[in-house]
Amino acid sequence: MSLTLSPLLNIPIIQPGDDLATIILQSIQTSQIDLQDGDIFVITQKVVSKAEDRLVNLSELTLGERAKQIAVEIDKDPRLVELILRESREVLRTRPGSIIVEHRCGFVCANAGIDHSNVKGKWGNPDDWVLLLPEDADRSARNIRDSLVQATGRKIAVLIIDSHGRAWRLGTIGSAIGIAGMPGLVDQRGWEDLFGYKLRITQVAAADELAAAASLMMGQAKEGTPVVHVRGFPYPLREGSMAELIRPKEMDMFR
Amino acid sequence: MSLTLSPLLNIPIIQPGDDLATIILQSIQTSQIDLQDGDIFVITQKVVSKAEDRLVNLSELTLGERAKQIAVEIDKDPRLVELILRESREVLRTRPGSIIVEHRCGFVCANAGIDHSNVKGKWGNPDDWVLLLPEDADRSARNIRDSLVQATGRKIAVLIIDSHGRAWRLGTIGSAIGIAGMPGLVDQRGWEDLFGYKLRITQVAAADELAAAASLMMGQAKEGTPVVHVRGFPYPLREGSMAELIRPKEMDMFR
């Protein structure tokens, strides 16, 4: 009857090429977690991107005219702007220092999710290295999930999250960017309320609610706890994907 | 090291005039929860509004011209539109069936948070009764918190939440609307990352992350679990308020 979120301990700093499923399995063993059907692992995007070697060196980019122009307008490194444009389908808004885009994968976020912090780089000036989001975070989640299911025989899910800003509210919250083995949305339309009225519009973004919950246990600065083990998720597991959570453009009043 | 969210059991259907703090204390006793400093109670808006008798009968409203006009434009009950306008400072967008507003209390939400479901009404046609948000949900949270602290001697917090839709994404998530005794935002600017870089922009909307987490354990339909007990919130408790979470209009690109 309770929802419990526990950071996995003893996760090392992730390097390009690391196998996250193996690392998670080792942590489960040393933490003596007895996995159960229905358990979920929530993983921060940054370690998935590192394991997948999504590091890019800004000094190797050729700049386009549009990147140069936006960079001047918003006072931002034109190389970073170039990379943000390459990772995006559409620019929604710009303001000094940041660009709100529709990412290649369909969701809206700032600066295409490209991050400088906790990135060490491989050679040269460390300031030149940035980390892109996973190429396809649903696929990343499925790969990790498949390995975990195969190794444990348990019916478990994997959720990859990132910290997103919001319209209208300050501060970031954990948001889903890759889903495997759990619902993105839970559709409660037609369920009856206390007095027998049918709910008309309730679709719960269950994966985003769990993303926010797990984000609380990850912190932002030290990347010490990039994986959170979840027990007691209240909805049945099923296949799922990010596509469930993305509002079609023509239904969006805020683009 | 874990975050645990447990719905309180045996909460009766709340009636106007009920004292929520007393009802929560009774549930804590029968559930044999041993309260600790740092525990938080997350409460769904609907039971707070009911206890505060925020029921309104639509048939008693006098309609203004603006409500009549919008009601035609978006095909919605003009009485409900009138009430939404009265509860709001500004209309951001309209679309068939719903109005996105800045609520009197400063946050942005659909239809001023006014709800039909799980509302029984007092007399006449039950369809004529709707429930407004609490007059001042920060104050409601403080009142409940003060009673709980006085009765238990523990340093605890209270968070009142509602289900909100979002720009860009489908589905609702639990969002803070009233805060007492805990941070709305946690400011991590200046903290160092793994490699000694300073984080530049990270402010975590910790109260919204907890709101989303607790919402998972409340469900939407039957209102069976309107209060969730939280243990293990990872940030220090302090005084807090909704004002921390509201993005100033002039800094908002999506209004």
Side-chain angles (χ1 to χ4, degrees):
Chain A
M1 275 297 294
S2 292
L3 178 71
T4 307
L5 300 110
S6 311
L8 289 191
L9 304 177
N10 306 315
I11 303 276
I13 293 182
I14 301 301
Q15 309 292 346
D18 280 351
D19 186 85
L20 282 179
T22 302
I23 289 168
I24 290 170
L25 287 166
Q26 283 164 351
S27 171
I28 294 169
Q29 269 192 327
T30 57
S31 310
Q32 297 187 298
I33 294 173
D34 181 27
L35 275 195
Q36 295 178 6
D37 287 348
D39 285 2
I40 301 172
F41 290 96
V42 185
I43 308 175
T44 185
Q45 157 273 323
K46 198 163 286 187
V47 297
V48 178
S49 292
K50 278 187 181 172
E52 295 181 358
D53 197 2
R54 299 284 289 156
L55 285 161
V56 172
N57 189 293
L58 294 174
S59 70
E60 297 182 310
L61 294 169
T62 310
L63 302 187
E65 284 310 311
R66 187 158 176 239
K68 289 181 192 167
Q69 187 190 331
I70 293 175
V72 170
E73 285 166 18
I74 67 171
D75 190 22
K76 196 177 179 78
D77 184 337
R79 306 172 304 170
L80 199 47
V81 174
E82 174 66 31
L83 203 51
I84 291 166
L85 294 180
R86 291 188 194 182
E87 284 283 287
S88 306
R89 288 186 192 151
E90 189 186 335
V91 173
L92 271 66
R93 302 279 194 284
T94 59
R95 71 167 173 195
S98 73
I99 308 179
I100 313 298
V101 300
E102 180 184 317
H103 186 269
R104 276 187 300 99
C105 294
F107 48 81
V108 170
C109 63
N111 302 324
I114 298 170
D115 201 355
H116 255 111
S117 64
N118 287 313
V119 173
K120 197 176 164 196
K122 298 178 180 180
W123 40 261
N125 183 352
D127 283 340
D128 284 343
W129 291 90
V130 296
L131 192 64
L132 308 185
L133 293 187
E135 206 170 87
D136 176 347
D138 271 350
R139 189 181 65 205
S140 306
R142 278 198 304 276
N143 288 343
I144 298 168
R145 192 267 316 255
D146 290 348
S147 297
L148 294 177
V149 168
Q150 199 168 9
T152 65
R154 294 298 183 187
K155 187 182 172 183
I156 55 186
V158 166
L159 180 64
I160 298 173
I161 72 170
D162 197 5
S163 292
H164 283 178
R166 295 89 49 83
W168 318 319
R169 289 191 174 221
L170 293 173
T172 61
I173 63 171
S175 303
I177 68 163
I179 297 174
M182 64 173 289
L185 277 184
V186 174
D187 197 334
Q188 302 188 336
R189 287 174 297 188
W191 295 17
E192 286 186 357
D193 76 2
L194 275 176
F195 305 107
Y197 292 104
K198 294 248 192 308
L199 296 180
R200 287 164 304 169
I201 51 163
T202 304
Q203 293 180 289
V204 175
D208 279 331
E209 291 193 325
L210 186 64
S215 174
L216 271 178
M217 301 311 286
M218 289 181 178
Q220 299 298 317
K222 289 291 183 187
E223 201 185 293
T225 51
V227 185
V228 171
H229 170 252
V230 178
R231 179 156 297 164
F233 183 70
Y235 301 108
L237 297 192
R238 61 163 172 80
E239 282 311 297
S241 80
M242 272 305 293
E244 298 170 37
L245 287 170
I246 294 170
R247 188 183 286 277
K249 212 165 155 174
E250 63 278 11
M251 287 173 55
D252 198 331
M253 294 180 278
F254 296 95
R255 294 191 51 157
Chain B
M1 273 298 293
S2 291
L3 178 71
T4 307
L5 300 109
S6 311
L8 290 190
L9 303 178
N10 307 315
I11 303 277
I13 293 182
I14 302 301
Q15 309 291 347
D18 280 350
D19 186 85
L20 282 179
T22 302
I23 288 168
I24 290 170
L25 287 166
Q26 283 164 350
S27 170
I28 294 169
Q29 269 193 326
T30 57
S31 310
Q32 297 188 298
I33 294 173
D34 181 28
L35 275 195
Q36 296 178 6
D37 287 348
D39 284 1
I40 302 172
F41 290 96
V42 185
I43 309 174
T44 186
Q45 156 271 323
K46 198 162 286 186
V47 297
V48 178
S49 292
K50 279 187 179 171
E52 295 180 358
D53 198 2
R54 299 284 290 156
L55 285 161
V56 172
N57 189 294
L58 294 174
S59 70
E60 297 182 309
L61 294 169
T62 309
L63 302 187
E65 284 311 310
R66 187 158 175 239
K68 290 180 193 169
Q69 187 190 331
I70 293 175
V72 170
E73 285 167 17
I74 65 170
D75 189 23
K76 196 177 180 78
D77 184 335
R79 306 171 305 170
L80 199 47
V81 174
E82 173 66 31
L83 204 49
I84 291 166
L85 294 179
R86 291 187 194 183
E87 284 283 286
S88 305
R89 288 185 191 152
E90 188 185 337
V91 173
L92 270 68
R93 302 279 193 286
T94 59
R95 70 165 172 196
S98 72
I99 308 178
I100 314 298
V101 300
E102 180 184 317
H103 186 270
R104 276 187 300 98
C105 294
F107 47 81
V108 170
C109 64
N111 302 323
I114 299 170
D115 201 354
H116 255 112
S117 64
N118 287 314
V119 174
K120 198 177 163 195
K122 298 178 178 178
W123 41 260
N125 182 353
D127 283 341
D128 284 343
W129 290 91
V130 296
L131 192 64
L132 308 185
L133 294 187
E135 207 170 86
D136 176 347
D138 270 350
R139 190 181 64 205
S140 305
R142 279 197 305 275
N143 288 343
I144 298 168
R145 192 267 316 255
D146 290 349
S147 298
L148 293 177
V149 168
Q150 199 169 11
T152 65
R154 294 298 183 186
K155 186 181 173 185
I156 55 185
V158 166
L159 180 64
I160 298 173
I161 72 170
D162 197 5
S163 291
H164 283 179
R166 295 89 50 81
W168 319 320
R169 290 192 173 220
L170 294 174
T172 61
I173 62 171
S175 303
I177 68 163
I179 297 174
M182 64 173 288
L185 276 184
V186 174
D187 197 335
Q188 302 188 336
R189 288 175 296 187
W191 294 18
E192 285 186 358
D193 76 3
L194 274 177
F195 306 108
Y197 292 104
K198 294 248 193 306
L199 296 179
R200 284 164 306 168
I201 52 163
T202 304
Q203 292 181 291
V204 175
D208 279 330
E209 291 193 325
L210 186 65
S215 173
L216 272 178
M217 301 312 286
M218 290 180 177
Q220 299 298 316
K222 289 292 181 185
E223 200 184 294
T225 51
V227 185
V228 170
H229 170 251
V230 178
R231 179 156 296 164
F233 183 71
Y235 301 109
L237 297 192
R238 60 164 172 80
E239 282 311 299
S241 80
M242 272 305 292
E244 298 170 36
L245 286 170
I246 294 170
R247 188 183 287 277
K249 214 164 154 174
E250 63 278 10
M251 286 173 56
D252 198 331
M253 294 179 280
F254 297 94
R255 295 191 48 156

